[in-house]
Amino acid sequence: MSTVRQVLSTLDRDAVGRSMMDLAAEVYPIPRSLTGDGVRATLERIGRRIPLETHELPTGTPVLDWTVPREWNPREAWIRDPSGRRVVDFADHGLHLVGYSVPVHCRLPLSDLRPRLHSLPEQPDLIPYRTSYYEETWGFCLAHQLLESLPDGEYEVFIDASLEDGSMTWGECLLPGSTTEEVVISSHVCHPQLANDNLSGIAVAVHLAEALAAVPERRYSYRFLFAPGGIGAIAWLARNRDRLDTFRHGLIAANLGDAGSFHYKKSRRGDAEIDRAVVAGLAELGEELVTEDFFPFGYDERQYCSPGFDLPVGVLTRTPWSQYPEYHTSGDDLSFVRADALAGSLAAYLATAAVLEEARGSGAPAPRLATAGGDRKGAVHGGPDARSAPAGSRRTAGDRRYRNLEPFGEPQLGRRGLYGGLGGAGRKDREIAMLWVLNQSDGENSLLDIAESSGTPVDVVAEAADALREAGLLEEVE
Amino acid sequence: MSTVRQVLSTLDRDAVGRSMMDLAAEVYPIPRSLTGDGVRATLERIGRRIPLETHELPTGTPVLDWTVPREWNPREAWIRDPSGRRVVDFADHGLHLVGYSVPVHCRLPLSDLRPRLHSLPEQPDLIPYRTSYYEETWGFCLAHQLLESLPDGEYEVFIDASLEDGSMTWGECLLPGSTTEEVVISSHVCHPQLANDNLSGIAVAVHLAEALAAVPERRYSYRFLFAPGGIGAIAWLARNRDRLDTFRHGLIAANLGDAGSFHYKKSRRGDAEIDRAVVAGLAELGEELVTEDFFPFGYDERQYCSPGFDLPVGVLTRTPWSQYPEYHTSGDDLSFVRADALAGSLAAYLATAAVLEEARGSGAPAPRLATAGGDRKGAVHGGPDARSAPAGSRRTAGDRRYRNLEPFGEPQLGRRGLYGGLGGAGRKDREIAMLWVLNQSDGENSLLDIAESSGTPVDVVAEAADALREAGLLEEVE
Amino acid sequence: MSTVRQVLSTLDRDAVGRSMMDLAAEVYPIPRSLTGDGVRATLERIGRRIPLETHELPTGTPVLDWTVPREWNPREAWIRDPSGRRVVDFADHGLHLVGYSVPVHCRLPLSDLRPRLHSLPEQPDLIPYRTSYYEETWGFCLAHQLLESLPDGEYEVFIDASLEDGSMTWGECLLPGSTTEEVVISSHVCHPQLANDNLSGIAVAVHLAEALAAVPERRYSYRFLFAPGGIGAIAWLARNRDRLDTFRHGLIAANLGDAGSFHYKKSRRGDAEIDRAVVAGLAELGEELVTEDFFPFGYDERQYCSPGFDLPVGVLTRTPWSQYPEYHTSGDDLSFVRADALAGSLAAYLATAAVLEEARGSGAPAPRLATAGGDRKGAVHGGPDARSAPAGSRRTAGDRRYRNLEPFGEPQLGRRGLYGGLGGAGRKDREIAMLWVLNQSDGENSLLDIAESSGTPVDVVAEAADALREAGLLEEVE
């Protein structure tokens, strides 16, 4: 396969859908949390499929305004009712234990236990997902109908878990391209036994890496991050702030296996190239897409798009978080995600990558961003450790711009062999695309601009530009 | 009461509505015109309720392109029909006499009198309102059905009025704030026996002044102008042009007692802070609001928004002038205005002031406008007396801007005590508002900007910003 | 007639419609093509009505990226069926012969002839229009039902035509105005026996020239081009590139005789004065108008609006090319165009010219465009012969801008005689227009800007501005 678009056009959605379901099923039972062996086991399974480099940072390490937390490893946790029956058992479902619960072993009446028990009265047969990362406590989650049936009396509670100094772990897969400019795909790996949020994101990212690895002529490098939500992205940003000048485009992958249509939450900039590439890519696939402006909560876009970084990162999902009833409950299990939906989501990510690749072109390298030491204009004042801030340049895009070298009147395409003889429909589209590229290439309009103003797919515009450049009619600018 | 919003939230609409109706009824019978004892008597009644400073300028004083006119004081005016019956009498209704009519006493046949009689054929039972300020003439206004019933024959006409050198009078009430930056509320006081236009405006302005006087921590100074329309605003601008650098926001109050919903005519600038504050304030009240772009006729916005001044002044009314059938007729009487409408209008003005106060904040003073001697860029060339023109700066707003001091990633709110424990709905809104303020505070976006882009009330945004500033996470810019 | 608007308001649409139909009928039978005697004969007929200067360029002359082609003159062409009957004869209809067909005389079976025969299966009774300018070949066009009825057997084909070195011909009519700034109206003259495309354009252009010639006080010069499509415009641009600095506004006239409503394709700039003037002019006529953004194919706008020239040229038609079924078929004959439609189209062009004239005013000359040697900023880099490129200035418009000399408050119009006494409706509109002009004339807003923001016809705004300037209240800027 020589281009991303070719990979996309020959994608076997049935086969890849099955493979994604397999991966999800394989890692579903692993008890994940912000830190600990569950994350390590998950990364180990990912590493069997794509090249993965694992990073660990010790508890207490300062990262931006935060500190790496203690490592949590649950082993056993249950509640026995007055008759001695285990009515709630972490071995049955990973959501039963509140994340980061401290060890406990005690007996107490139901009335005292009750405040430690979390349920969903309006979804009485589902177990909710709860964590308490930053407050030291313990608790259990269970179905409301079970909670309602518990008899009064004395209960025995047992939690065997370690919460102690250790490490936080994340994984990175880097696929080098012909430039060091990076497209970053970020998935969180901290949710236990929840399929759509977030195993679907992991499955799409892993299979996207596999698909892109088959493209020999990648114009961008692709970096896949598998990190715990929040603190993982914070740690990665803290460790990588000196090299963010190669960060070109980013997407956060989650909620990609449900039956809903696509949803895109734009980057904070709102008009970044990634924001336009997602729209173009999904339109070329014929997929319905709802877009939404940035807001400063949700997934790790809240870190990437904080004003000091202001990176061009959007969130491409199917149904967004909290907008499906199974969100953050035991209803988000393996039966909730679908192979065809996962495969379609992979296609959506590939189509976006194809647009980025085509708009980037293979010509001159895109301008390097000013590094922190150089151009500080636009960067916000950020106290002592603001030194390595990337400049907030809006022109980070690789999107190509050309200048028409025969701009006075329309150049003769026929004598340059650029007009076909009889020509099918495809030929005609390409000729019209050449007219658009020639007319708009005044050094200001980029290929994405031309695709948008002409209503032409980016690959057709890019192919027309390539043909015109080879004929000596265009030169790339900057 | 410590803030404008608290005054608003505890407003007793029934009581204040009655008080506004009382004021309207008290001044309704006074024969007002551009100049004369009617204006003085009206200002005297206003001065019984709020501190009022009265200004007089003698006839013939040049003011901008105009001259203060002669003073007019009508005393008696009537028409007797051929049978000797007084068929029209100024003592019965102040609209019967054309404003600025000169004295006359004569007998004349109906055919000669007819051109001096003004009526409304399409509203045959209403008396129209007519004036002739700048052409020396006389005339009467009457119901068309009365006009039609007049028998032929000789009529006696009598007008006893003085039109001679004197003064033009206006009043000002200044409520000083913690800064000298001013919000100016302007009402005209020249309309005789018309309730919605303009007693409703006077009533709202007077009660707004009373309400704001109860706020000890006003961030703005508030100036209330009660002046004759046109020449009054012209005189005030001529006399105050050296100190317009403290003029921050202005509203013209009129047509505020009818049953219609709210209407806002924007300032000439169209995007001044006052234009946005009215929209935000009315939205927070849940009031329907129609906005309209500026046009250069109407009330005194034609003076304030002339291109040499270009002050940020809009017009907040209920049904706009000329769009209700009773406008400028005897149908606009005390029964046409309603206590609940007046009270609702006062709430609309208070809500707008609350937004201005909250966006202004109590921090550093807003930048002073360049005075005329300093920065002349943007000021138009205005001939010999353009010397004291204010610069046409767009950044006149007090609207606060902050810079996030921890802009790289999301700062930990929990360890600063900014996240609550369990938290009610209000608490959650405040936390989301903090995320918005942190994310958007790059020194460019103001609190009003953030309120608009987040869809959050200004007071919630302002409170979040105050909390973040106290926690050391924000600093004010400029 | 002293102004364009007066010519428009007294236009006798019946008479001018008949004259336009006469002209169309007169030139309809002439066999036109890119070059040759058909073009010359057409220009000769135009020259009987308006002063026309004819230009010829010899075959082989380089023009921009192109070369003047050989001259083609068809004399006789027919096909005999096996029975010897002339089934297709160029003498019957000018569309029967493919344009630029080379001479041939041969016998051949139907199966060999078939690929040379062009028809429209979906419009079986119409003859299509085909040319082959840049590939040496021959062919015939005929109704599909005739084609279907042809018996097998041997056919005799005869084409007597010369294709040899000669010249390409075009005509220009220049009506000098009080300035050398030009409005250019361009019609193609290369279509044989097609009435709407393009005799309607020729008829409108000729009668527009006649009408404008009757205006003694033209503020612009008007240039009418009658040139073959594509290569004609290319040649004119190549020959005139040194004087394009006087090119102010351009329109391409075609498809103006059908029953459809108006359609305007904007210039590449999209917001050029011509784009706004067409909208204003048609609105003043009360004509429905659909506007469309520029795209880089169609008529000669593809040359004028190539990025090196980027001239402000739009296309004002009724139904656009290819959007009526008779387009480029024998159905586009004299019965397809209507006298009333042609007359209405002339009115549309006159209304646009009236707006341009009024907005231009008679005051100071508009700023000259920087010539190529002066300001090269914005011009694209165009290789060796880019030397004489016009600068791509957006401020090419003649549209007047004024500065209010009494900008502080509203000037007294009454004492300057600018307010009428009682005043009819027209008077009131003019007074409101004066308020708009005074309020908006800060040196930035032009008369077209004011007309658009006030919703007032341009002539009313222009008249108000003239009155205010004469009263000393305005001065023109730049």
PDB file of all heavy atoms in Angstrom, chain A residues 317-341:
ATOM      1  N   THR A 317     -15.651  11.171  18.209  1.00  0.00           N
ATOM      2  CA  THR A 317     -16.340  10.044  18.825  1.00  0.00           C
ATOM      3  C   THR A 317     -17.567   9.675  17.991  1.00  0.00           C
ATOM      4  O   THR A 317     -17.874  10.329  17.007  1.00  0.00           O
ATOM      5  CB  THR A 317     -16.855  10.427  20.237  1.00  0.00           C
ATOM      6  OG1 THR A 317     -17.822  11.474  20.090  1.00  0.00           O
ATOM      7  CG2 THR A 317     -15.739  10.902  21.129  1.00  0.00           C
ATOM      8  N   ARG A 318     -18.236   8.624  18.416  1.00  0.00           N
ATOM      9  CA  ARG A 318     -19.630   8.446  18.016  1.00  0.00           C
ATOM     10  C   ARG A 318     -20.444   9.187  19.078  1.00  0.00           C
ATOM     11  O   ARG A 318     -20.166  10.358  19.323  1.00  0.00           O
ATOM     12  CB  ARG A 318     -19.948   6.953  17.858  1.00  0.00           C
ATOM     13  CG  ARG A 318     -19.259   6.360  16.601  1.00  0.00           C
ATOM     14  CD  ARG A 318     -19.610   4.900  16.426  1.00  0.00           C
ATOM     15  NE  ARG A 318     -18.988   4.345  15.240  1.00  0.00           N
ATOM     16  CZ  ARG A 318     -19.528   4.389  13.993  1.00  0.00           C
ATOM     17  NH1 ARG A 318     -20.705   4.940  13.789  1.00  0.00           N
ATOM     18  NH2 ARG A 318     -18.893   3.847  12.962  1.00  0.00           N
ATOM     19  N   THR A 319     -21.372   8.535  19.748  1.00  0.00           N
ATOM     20  CA  THR A 319     -22.160   9.272  20.752  1.00  0.00           C
ATOM     21  C   THR A 319     -21.232   9.807  21.854  1.00  0.00           C
ATOM     22  O   THR A 319     -20.466   9.042  22.436  1.00  0.00           O
ATOM     23  CB  THR A 319     -23.216   8.345  21.376  1.00  0.00           C
ATOM     24  OG1 THR A 319     -23.965   7.752  20.310  1.00  0.00           O
ATOM     25  CG2 THR A 319     -24.145   9.128  22.275  1.00  0.00           C
ATOM     26  N   PRO A 320     -21.265  11.097  22.124  1.00  0.00           N
ATOM     27  CA  PRO A 320     -20.331  11.649  23.117  1.00  0.00           C
ATOM     28  C   PRO A 320     -20.591  11.111  24.522  1.00  0.00           C
ATOM     29  O   PRO A 320     -21.686  10.643  24.830  1.00  0.00           O
ATOM     30  CB  PRO A 320     -20.603  13.150  23.063  1.00  0.00           C
ATOM     31  CG  PRO A 320     -21.358  13.392  21.803  1.00  0.00           C
ATOM     32  CD  PRO A 320     -22.104  12.133  21.523  1.00  0.00           C
ATOM     33  N   TRP A 321     -19.562  11.202  25.350  1.00  0.00           N
ATOM     34  CA  TRP A 321     -19.657  10.773  26.748  1.00  0.00           C
ATOM     35  C   TRP A 321     -20.891  11.380  27.396  1.00  0.00           C
ATOM     36  O   TRP A 321     -21.257  12.498  27.086  1.00  0.00           O
ATOM     37  CB  TRP A 321     -18.415  11.171  27.531  1.00  0.00           C
ATOM     38  CG  TRP A 321     -18.160  12.643  27.648  1.00  0.00           C
ATOM     39  CD1 TRP A 321     -17.545  13.426  26.728  1.00  0.00           C
ATOM     40  CD2 TRP A 321     -18.515  13.508  28.733  1.00  0.00           C
ATOM     41  NE1 TRP A 321     -17.480  14.712  27.166  1.00  0.00           N
ATOM     42  CE2 TRP A 321     -18.069  14.791  28.410  1.00  0.00           C
ATOM     43  CE3 TRP A 321     -19.157  13.324  29.962  1.00  0.00           C
ATOM     44  CZ2 TRP A 321     -18.239  15.899  29.238  1.00  0.00           C
ATOM     45  CZ3 TRP A 321     -19.333  14.418  30.803  1.00  0.00           C
ATOM     46  CH2 TRP A 321     -18.881  15.690  30.433  1.00  0.00           C
ATOM     47  N   SER A 322     -21.497  10.605  28.265  1.00  0.00           N
ATOM     48  CA  SER A 322     -22.629  11.018  29.110  1.00  0.00           C
ATOM     49  C   SER A 322     -23.910  11.198  28.310  1.00  0.00           C
ATOM     50  O   SER A 322     -24.942  11.490  28.880  1.00  0.00           O
ATOM     51  CB  SER A 322     -22.319  12.312  29.872  1.00  0.00           C
ATOM     52  OG  SER A 322     -22.606  13.441  29.060  1.00  0.00           O
ATOM     53  N   GLN A 323     -23.866  10.989  26.985  1.00  0.00           N
ATOM     54  CA  GLN A 323     -25.099  11.157  26.224  1.00  0.00           C
ATOM     55  C   GLN A 323     -25.740   9.834  25.829  1.00  0.00           C
ATOM     56  O   GLN A 323     -26.700   9.821  25.069  1.00  0.00           O
ATOM     57  CB  GLN A 323     -24.855  12.060  25.006  1.00  0.00           C
ATOM     58  CG  GLN A 323     -24.486  13.467  25.466  1.00  0.00           C
ATOM     59  CD  GLN A 323     -24.406  14.461  24.326  1.00  0.00           C
ATOM     60  OE1 GLN A 323     -24.958  14.260  23.262  1.00  0.00           O
ATOM     61  NE2 GLN A 323     -23.687  15.546  24.558  1.00  0.00           N
ATOM     62  N   TYR A 324     -25.171   8.718  26.302  1.00  0.00           N
ATOM     63  CA  TYR A 324     -25.893   7.447  26.137  1.00  0.00           C
ATOM     64  C   TYR A 324     -26.116   6.894  27.549  1.00  0.00           C
ATOM     65  O   TYR A 324     -25.293   7.085  28.440  1.00  0.00           O
ATOM     66  CB  TYR A 324     -25.136   6.462  25.247  1.00  0.00           C
ATOM     67  CG  TYR A 324     -23.679   6.229  25.557  1.00  0.00           C
ATOM     68  CD1 TYR A 324     -23.267   5.151  26.344  1.00  0.00           C
ATOM     69  CD2 TYR A 324     -22.698   7.078  25.065  1.00  0.00           C
ATOM     70  CE1 TYR A 324     -21.931   4.926  26.609  1.00  0.00           C
ATOM     71  CE2 TYR A 324     -21.356   6.870  25.329  1.00  0.00           C
ATOM     72  CZ  TYR A 324     -20.972   5.791  26.102  1.00  0.00           C
ATOM     73  OH  TYR A 324     -19.652   5.572  26.381  1.00  0.00           O
ATOM     74  N   PRO A 325     -27.261   6.252  27.754  1.00  0.00           N
ATOM     75  CA  PRO A 325     -27.622   5.871  29.130  1.00  0.00           C
ATOM     76  C   PRO A 325     -26.665   4.868  29.754  1.00  0.00           C
ATOM     77  O   PRO A 325     -26.547   4.801  30.977  1.00  0.00           O
ATOM     78  CB  PRO A 325     -29.026   5.275  28.984  1.00  0.00           C
ATOM     79  CG  PRO A 325     -29.319   5.177  27.535  1.00  0.00           C
ATOM     80  CD  PRO A 325     -28.320   5.968  26.788  1.00  0.00           C
ATOM     81  N   GLU A 326     -25.971   4.077  28.923  1.00  0.00           N
ATOM     82  CA  GLU A 326     -25.073   3.069  29.469  1.00  0.00           C
ATOM     83  C   GLU A 326     -23.742   3.671  29.925  1.00  0.00           C
ATOM     84  O   GLU A 326     -22.915   2.983  30.529  1.00  0.00           O
ATOM     85  CB  GLU A 326     -24.793   1.996  28.396  1.00  0.00           C
ATOM     86  CG  GLU A 326     -26.018   1.205  27.968  1.00  0.00           C
ATOM     87  CD  GLU A 326     -26.843   1.914  26.907  1.00  0.00           C
ATOM     88  OE1 GLU A 326     -26.497   3.069  26.530  1.00  0.00           O
ATOM     89  OE2 GLU A 326     -27.846   1.336  26.447  1.00  0.00           O
ATOM     90  N   TYR A 327     -23.498   4.963  29.614  1.00  0.00           N
ATOM     91  CA  TYR A 327     -22.228   5.617  29.940  1.00  0.00           C
ATOM     92  C   TYR A 327     -21.885   5.463  31.423  1.00  0.00           C
ATOM     93  O   TYR A 327     -22.715   5.721  32.289  1.00  0.00           O
ATOM     94  CB  TYR A 327     -22.327   7.105  29.570  1.00  0.00           C
ATOM     95  CG  TYR A 327     -21.161   7.923  30.031  1.00  0.00           C
ATOM     96  CD1 TYR A 327     -19.927   7.854  29.369  1.00  0.00           C
ATOM     97  CD2 TYR A 327     -21.269   8.761  31.126  1.00  0.00           C
ATOM     98  CE1 TYR A 327     -18.849   8.604  29.810  1.00  0.00           C
ATOM     99  CE2 TYR A 327     -20.197   9.517  31.570  1.00  0.00           C
ATOM    100  CZ  TYR A 327     -18.990   9.435  30.911  1.00  0.00           C
ATOM    101  OH  TYR A 327     -17.922  10.178  31.344  1.00  0.00           O
ATOM    102  N   HIS A 328     -20.659   5.006  31.688  1.00  0.00           N
ATOM    103  CA  HIS A 328     -20.158   4.859  33.060  1.00  0.00           C
ATOM    104  C   HIS A 328     -21.054   3.993  33.931  1.00  0.00           C
ATOM    105  O   HIS A 328     -21.275   4.296  35.108  1.00  0.00           O
ATOM    106  CB  HIS A 328     -19.905   6.226  33.703  1.00  0.00           C
ATOM    107  CG  HIS A 328     -18.547   6.774  33.331  1.00  0.00           C
ATOM    108  ND1 HIS A 328     -17.938   7.808  34.007  1.00  0.00           N
ATOM    109  CD2 HIS A 328     -17.682   6.433  32.344  1.00  0.00           C
ATOM    110  CE1 HIS A 328     -16.768   8.075  33.448  1.00  0.00           C
ATOM    111  NE2 HIS A 328     -16.598   7.255  32.430  1.00  0.00           N
ATOM    112  N   THR A 329     -21.555   2.912  33.314  1.00  0.00           N
ATOM    113  CA  THR A 329     -22.288   1.884  34.074  1.00  0.00           C
ATOM    114  C   THR A 329     -21.898   0.518  33.521  1.00  0.00           C
ATOM    115  O   THR A 329     -21.288   0.416  32.449  1.00  0.00           O
ATOM    116  CB  THR A 329     -23.818   2.005  33.918  1.00  0.00           C
ATOM    117  OG1 THR A 329     -24.181   1.544  32.602  1.00  0.00           O
ATOM    118  CG2 THR A 329     -24.304   3.443  34.082  1.00  0.00           C
ATOM    119  N   SER A 330     -22.355  -0.499  34.226  1.00  0.00           N
ATOM    120  CA  SER A 330     -22.105  -1.864  33.756  1.00  0.00           C
ATOM    121  C   SER A 330     -22.856  -2.157  32.457  1.00  0.00           C
ATOM    122  O   SER A 330     -22.593  -3.180  31.818  1.00  0.00           O
ATOM    123  CB  SER A 330     -22.513  -2.868  34.834  1.00  0.00           C
ATOM    124  OG  SER A 330     -23.867  -2.632  35.217  1.00  0.00           O
ATOM    125  N   GLY A 331     -23.754  -1.265  32.044  1.00  0.00           N
ATOM    126  CA  GLY A 331     -24.409  -1.444  30.738  1.00  0.00           C
ATOM    127  C   GLY A 331     -23.451  -1.234  29.582  1.00  0.00           C
ATOM    128  O   GLY A 331     -23.703  -1.682  28.455  1.00  0.00           O
ATOM    129  N   ASP A 332     -22.348  -0.530  29.814  1.00  0.00           N
ATOM    130  CA  ASP A 332     -21.338  -0.339  28.764  1.00  0.00           C
ATOM    131  C   ASP A 332     -20.426  -1.562  28.757  1.00  0.00           C
ATOM    132  O   ASP A 332     -19.245  -1.480  29.096  1.00  0.00           O
ATOM    133  CB  ASP A 332     -20.584   0.962  29.018  1.00  0.00           C
ATOM    134  CG  ASP A 332     -19.521   1.232  27.948  1.00  0.00           C
ATOM    135  OD1 ASP A 332     -19.502   0.505  26.927  1.00  0.00           O
ATOM    136  OD2 ASP A 332     -18.711   2.161  28.151  1.00  0.00           O
ATOM    137  N   ASP A 333     -20.988  -2.706  28.376  1.00  0.00           N
ATOM    138  CA  ASP A 333     -20.206  -3.932  28.347  1.00  0.00           C
ATOM    139  C   ASP A 333     -19.916  -4.339  26.898  1.00  0.00           C
ATOM    140  O   ASP A 333     -20.187  -3.577  25.967  1.00  0.00           O
ATOM    141  CB  ASP A 333     -20.923  -5.048  29.110  1.00  0.00           C
ATOM    142  CG  ASP A 333     -22.270  -5.381  28.500  1.00  0.00           C
ATOM    143  OD1 ASP A 333     -22.547  -4.934  27.356  1.00  0.00           O
ATOM    144  OD2 ASP A 333     -23.050  -6.067  29.168  1.00  0.00           O
ATOM    145  N   LEU A 334     -19.372  -5.536  26.726  1.00  0.00           N
ATOM    146  CA  LEU A 334     -18.938  -5.929  25.374  1.00  0.00           C
ATOM    147  C   LEU A 334     -20.119  -6.028  24.402  1.00  0.00           C
ATOM    148  O   LEU A 334     -19.947  -5.872  23.186  1.00  0.00           O
ATOM    149  CB  LEU A 334     -18.185  -7.250  25.430  1.00  0.00           C
ATOM    150  CG  LEU A 334     -16.761  -7.135  26.004  1.00  0.00           C
ATOM    151  CD1 LEU A 334     -16.178  -8.532  26.224  1.00  0.00           C
ATOM    152  CD2 LEU A 334     -15.866  -6.326  25.072  1.00  0.00           C
ATOM    153  N   SER A 335     -21.311  -6.300  24.928  1.00  0.00           N
ATOM    154  CA  SER A 335     -22.460  -6.425  24.021  1.00  0.00           C
ATOM    155  C   SER A 335     -22.927  -5.061  23.526  1.00  0.00           C
ATOM    156  O   SER A 335     -23.720  -4.976  22.594  1.00  0.00           O
ATOM    157  CB  SER A 335     -23.615  -7.139  24.734  1.00  0.00           C
ATOM    158  OG  SER A 335     -24.197  -6.271  25.685  1.00  0.00           O
ATOM    159  N   PHE A 336     -22.445  -3.991  24.184  1.00  0.00           N
ATOM    160  CA  PHE A 336     -22.875  -2.648  23.786  1.00  0.00           C
ATOM    161  C   PHE A 336     -22.104  -2.155  22.560  1.00  0.00           C
ATOM    162  O   PHE A 336     -22.577  -1.300  21.821  1.00  0.00           O
ATOM    163  CB  PHE A 336     -22.693  -1.682  24.961  1.00  0.00           C
ATOM    164  CG  PHE A 336     -23.134  -0.281  24.677  1.00  0.00           C
ATOM    165  CD1 PHE A 336     -24.473   0.001  24.401  1.00  0.00           C
ATOM    166  CD2 PHE A 336     -22.213   0.766  24.670  1.00  0.00           C
ATOM    167  CE1 PHE A 336     -24.887   1.298  24.135  1.00  0.00           C
ATOM    168  CE2 PHE A 336     -22.614   2.060  24.401  1.00  0.00           C
ATOM    169  CZ  PHE A 336     -23.953   2.327  24.137  1.00  0.00           C
ATOM    170  N   VAL A 337     -20.897  -2.677  22.331  1.00  0.00           N
ATOM    171  CA  VAL A 337     -20.111  -2.215  21.173  1.00  0.00           C
ATOM    172  C   VAL A 337     -20.267  -3.200  20.021  1.00  0.00           C
ATOM    173  O   VAL A 337     -20.489  -4.392  20.236  1.00  0.00           O
ATOM    174  CB  VAL A 337     -18.623  -2.000  21.525  1.00  0.00           C
ATOM    175  CG1 VAL A 337     -18.495  -0.946  22.607  1.00  0.00           C
ATOM    176  CG2 VAL A 337     -17.969  -3.291  21.935  1.00  0.00           C
ATOM    177  N   ARG A 338     -20.148  -2.682  18.808  1.00  0.00           N
ATOM    178  CA  ARG A 338     -20.427  -3.468  17.614  1.00  0.00           C
ATOM    179  C   ARG A 338     -19.240  -3.460  16.674  1.00  0.00           C
ATOM    180  O   ARG A 338     -18.575  -2.432  16.475  1.00  0.00           O
ATOM    181  CB  ARG A 338     -21.626  -2.868  16.874  1.00  0.00           C
ATOM    182  CG  ARG A 338     -22.895  -2.887  17.700  1.00  0.00           C
ATOM    183  CD  ARG A 338     -23.954  -1.942  17.161  1.00  0.00           C
ATOM    184  NE  ARG A 338     -23.962  -1.909  15.706  1.00  0.00           N
ATOM    185  CZ  ARG A 338     -24.985  -1.477  14.982  1.00  0.00           C
ATOM    186  NH1 ARG A 338     -26.099  -1.074  15.576  1.00  0.00           N
ATOM    187  NH2 ARG A 338     -24.905  -1.446  13.677  1.00  0.00           N
ATOM    188  N   ALA A 339     -18.983  -4.615  16.065  1.00  0.00           N
ATOM    189  CA  ALA A 339     -17.838  -4.725  15.161  1.00  0.00           C
ATOM    190  C   ALA A 339     -17.955  -3.735  14.000  1.00  0.00           C
ATOM    191  O   ALA A 339     -16.977  -3.082  13.619  1.00  0.00           O
ATOM    192  CB  ALA A 339     -17.730  -6.157  14.618  1.00  0.00           C
ATOM    193  N   ASP A 340     -19.161  -3.596  13.435  1.00  0.00           N
ATOM    194  CA  ASP A 340     -19.288  -2.699  12.281  1.00  0.00           C
ATOM    195  C   ASP A 340     -19.070  -1.244  12.683  1.00  0.00           C
ATOM    196  O   ASP A 340     -18.501  -0.456  11.934  1.00  0.00           O
ATOM    197  CB  ASP A 340     -20.641  -2.902  11.584  1.00  0.00           C
ATOM    198  CG  ASP A 340     -21.811  -2.556  12.489  1.00  0.00           C
ATOM    199  OD1 ASP A 340     -21.659  -2.629  13.726  1.00  0.00           O
ATOM    200  OD2 ASP A 340     -22.880  -2.205  11.955  1.00  0.00           O
ATOM    201  N   ALA A 341     -19.509  -0.904  13.888  1.00  0.00           N
ATOM    202  CA  ALA A 341     -19.300   0.478  14.346  1.00  0.00           C
ATOM    203  C   ALA A 341     -17.813   0.746  14.562  1.00  0.00           C
ATOM    204  O   ALA A 341     -17.291   1.808  14.189  1.00  0.00           O
ATOM    205  CB  ALA A 341     -20.082   0.729  15.630  1.00  0.00           C
TER     206      ALA A 341
END
